Amino acid sequence: MLRRLHGGFWALGAAAGPCSAPRFYSSRLGSELLRSQAYIGGRWLDADGRAQFPVLDPASGQQLTAVADCGPQEAREAVRAAHSSLASWKAATSKERSNLLRKWYDLMLKNKDELARLITAENGKPLKESLSETLYAASFLEWFSEEARRVYGDVVPTSSPDRRILILKQPIGVASIITPWNFPSAMLTRKAGAALAVGCTVVVKPAEDTPLSALALAELADQAGIPAGVFNVIPSSKSKTPSVGEVLCTDPLVAAISFTGSTATGKILLRQACDTVKKASMELGGLAPFIVFDSADLDRAVAGALASKFRNTGQTCVCANRFLVQEGIHDSFVEKMVEAMQRDLRVGSGFDELTTQGPLINERAVQKVESHISDAVSLGACIVTGGKRHGSGATFFEPTLLSNVTTDMLCAQEETFGPLAPVLKFQTEEEAVTIANASNVGLAGYFYSSDLAQIWRVAEQLEVGIVGINEGLLSTPEAPFGGVKQSGLGREGSKYGVDDYLEIKYVCFGGL
């Protein structure tokens, strides 16, 4: 049951039963961070016809609230608002932009608990992980507030004494930003922080499953003093997302697009953007190998595997998807991995402080995990632990490990995006690298070894954009994030993260 609060906010009523996650969350709703309208040109606006779509709790399927269902009209309005504010925003000094991003960062820290609760409510991940994501998201605003003052050009020596060559870096213009549901705050700030730092304006289209985090960040951007039109958020339902995405990719006022999501969707957006030759940054799907060599510290490898695979219930683009374990330690690894999974992983509501594994985002996600397990078992794989839905609800799934997995199984060929750990046995280093690279995507890869020569060889040979050596968690604002092959274009975070939002201009000063 929804009730209206002041300022157009919504909260859940108290009519639900005592154990549901939404009711646990309802006691925390009603703050000014919960918004239901689109944020366009510095104003909170309804969609045309006051259209709305429901935001659901993935743990129960119940409605949390309803938000504006923006279509092409609102998308074009947001693009025009961003374009109208572009001249003044890029004319602001880098220090001015830096200070505003820093204020936004400070407000995220001040409101970190409320932001975390929003993430858990709409995404389902455990509250501890939601808090970690909030701090991670804020760190990009801090990082790019500092990078705003480090966008350097060049003075290039010439062969002509009467000329000077200058290289300028300038903001590319309006950027369309399309973000995923699995990290609804962090993926937004990683993109928007870089764009705003260098003088671009943005239009954000958050995932239809998780719009509340993006709208909350818009509220904080407004409080921080980000000027009207510089940062815009247009939520849209699944049915309207294709038409909204088309506007964001084809409107001639948009100069760049940045997208995180599936490779298939990324290809559609690239095709739409090509007619107007927009700059594109794409962080797409992965199929991360996790290789454990005989020389590895086995306990450390198991700990890294658990962290890499089961963070966000396996719903991350860099989580380990294929475990390749050398035959000398294969059986010991499986035994220790199963022991750790049964000891350390607890399935339940994200608002339960003991939970480590929340729900999957929706029924389709559960069905994909089930199809991968069914396919593998039909081809000879063995379920060592898990393998079925959990009693907590329809979207909860038991952490699962499969042995006797081979490369012809779906779980070794497709990104599962769920709590499934398929283990393949290999004999030689060459065989492991060949299996790892036998994919048309290459986002992240991991391996554990204590052989220094092997470490150098494998790190250089893995066809991925990110390599973890004896480490299962890799993401940090200081390092570039992105993939090779069909895992995307460009890099996010780090000092390279601003490059996708900059144009390089050559200035020749003659007659000197």
Side-chain angles (χ1 to χ4, degrees):
M1 174 179 171
L2 293 173
R3 57 188 176 87
R4 190 75 162 178
L5 297 177
H6 68 283
F9 307 133
W10 293 87
L12 286 169
C19 299
S20 72
R23 274 181 295 281
F24 190 101
Y25 180 68
S26 65
S27 65
R28 295 163 171 81
L29 293 184
S31 82
E32 292 189 356
L33 296 189
L34 184 69
R35 302 303 303 236
S36 62
Q37 297 169 300
Y39 185 68
I40 301 174
R43 296 185 298 158
W44 293 100
L45 302 172
D46 291 319
D48 185 45
R50 301 181 69 84
Q52 292 185 321
F53 69 97
V55 181
L56 304 180
D57 168 27
S60 67
Q62 295 179 353
Q63 181 171 319
L64 291 169
T65 187
V67 300
D69 191 4
C70 296
Q73 176 180 324
E74 290 79 21
R76 285 188 286 268
E77 289 176 4
V79 169
R80 287 195 295 270
H83 189 262
S84 295
S85 66
L86 178 62
S88 58
W89 182 245
K90 69 180 182 181
T93 67
S94 60
K95 185 175 182 179
E96 289 172 331
R97 294 194 297 268
S98 173
N99 288 341
L100 288 172
L101 287 174
R102 180 71 193 202
K103 289 179 181 178
W104 196 6
Y105 160 77
D106 289 337
L107 285 168
M108 284 196 69
L109 294 189
K110 181 180 178 181
N111 293 276
K112 62 183 185 298
D113 293 328
E114 179 65 16
L115 290 169
R117 286 190 286 269
L118 278 173
I119 293 173
T120 293
E122 63 180 349
N123 170 279
K125 68 176 64 175
L127 193 56
K128 183 178 180 180
E129 286 193 22
S130 295
L131 181 59
S132 294
E133 180 186 343
T134 300
L135 298 177
Y136 178 53
S139 74
F140 285 108
L141 297 183
E142 179 187 37
W143 175 263
F144 286 117
S145 74
E146 297 163 348
E147 288 300 294
R149 303 181 68 179
R150 302 190 189 112
V151 181
Y152 303 132
D154 286 300
V155 178
V156 180
T158 74
S159 57
S160 302
D162 62 342
R163 291 183 177 183
R164 297 294 183 270
I165 293 176
L166 306 177
I167 308 299
L168 306 181
K169 292 184 178 180
Q170 297 180 315
I172 193 170
V174 176
S176 295
I177 291 175
I178 304 174
T179 57
W181 52 262
N182 59 338
F183 288 91
S185 287
M187 298 303 95
L188 190 158
T189 57
R190 191 164 72 183
K191 298 172 187 293
L196 268 57
V198 300
C200 294
T201 57
V202 303
V203 177
V204 177
K205 209 298 284 184
E208 62 269 17
D209 292 303
T210 54
L212 302 182
S213 294
L215 295 172
L217 290 177
E219 170 63 32
L220 294 181
D222 188 71
Q223 292 180 23
I226 303 293
V230 170
F231 181 78
N232 306 273
V233 179
I234 49 169
S236 64
S237 62
K238 183 179 181 181
S239 62
K240 290 186 179 179
T241 288
S243 59
V244 169
E246 184 175 3
V247 171
L248 297 182
C249 290
T250 61
D251 193 303
L253 296 181
V254 173
I257 61 171
S258 180
F259 169 73
T260 294
S262 71
T263 298
T265 301
K267 290 177 179 179
I268 293 172
L269 300 180
L270 284 171
R271 283 193 290 269
Q272 292 175 342
C274 69
D275 281 346
T276 46
V277 196
K278 301 189 191 307
K279 198 168 188 178
S281 171
M282 297 274 154
E283 194 261 285
L284 307 177
L287 192 65
F290 191 107
I291 307 170
V292 185
F293 291 102
D294 282 342
S295 66
D297 180 324
L298 195 53
D299 290 332
R300 188 171 180 178
V302 168
L306 210 67
S308 173
K309 173 70 258 184
F310 295 104
R311 183 169 61 112
N312 198 18
T313 318
Q315 300 173 111
T316 82
C317 51
V318 293
C319 77
N321 204 85
R322 302 168 289 162
F323 290 87
L324 314 179
V325 184
Q326 200 157 12
E327 60 181 355
I329 58 168
H330 173 274
D331 293 350
S332 296
F333 175 86
V334 169
E335 180 181 346
K336 285 179 174 287
M337 184 72 171
V338 170
E339 179 184 331
M341 290 168 62
Q342 294 175 344
R343 180 188 66 237
D344 298 336
L345 301 182
R346 183 180 185 278
V347 180
S349 165
F351 288 108
D352 184 336
E353 63 181 12
L354 297 179
T355 292
T356 66
Q357 303 291 288
L360 296 179
I361 191 64
N362 52 39
E363 174 66 21
R364 296 189 306 277
V366 179
Q367 290 176 358
K368 186 173 186 181
V369 176
E370 288 177 328
S371 70
H372 280 195
I373 293 173
S374 176
D375 170 79
V377 171
S378 72
L379 294 175
C382 298
I383 299 174
V384 184
T385 188
K388 62 183 184 299
R389 299 193 190 211
H390 190 270
S392 295
T395 53
F396 292 85
F397 206 89
E398 295 178 347
T400 301
L401 185 141
L402 300 178
S403 64
N404 295 336
V405 175
T406 55
T407 56
D408 59 337
M409 298 175 182
L410 285 179
C411 59
Q413 298 176 354
E414 297 178 0
E415 191 174 30
T416 302
F417 236 61
L420 172 61
V423 181
L424 297 83
K425 184 187 297 186
F426 72 90
Q427 294 181 327
T428 67
E429 175 187 315
E430 181 181 15
E431 179 188 3
V433 171
T434 298
I435 294 173
N437 290 340
S439 172
N440 61 4
V441 294
L443 184 54
Y446 308 82
F447 69 93
Y448 278 69
S449 171
S450 61
D451 182 333
L452 290 179
Q454 182 179 66
I455 286 172
W456 278 113
R457 286 193 306 270
V458 176
E460 292 176 347
Q461 291 172 17
L462 285 179
E463 296 172 356
V464 295
I466 307 167
V467 178
I469 302 170
N470 298 328
E471 179 58 61
L473 297 176
L474 306 176
S475 299
T476 177
E478 297 85 2
F481 191 102
V484 300
K485 300 181 181 178
Q486 295 185 33
S487 281
L489 303 167
R491 293 295 183 270
E492 295 183 343
S494 79
K495 68 176 184 178
Y496 304 105
V498 298
D499 290 348
D500 288 321
Y501 304 99
L502 290 170
E503 295 277 29
I504 293 177
K505 179 182 286 185
Y506 157 41
V507 177
C508 182
F509 193 175
L512 300 177

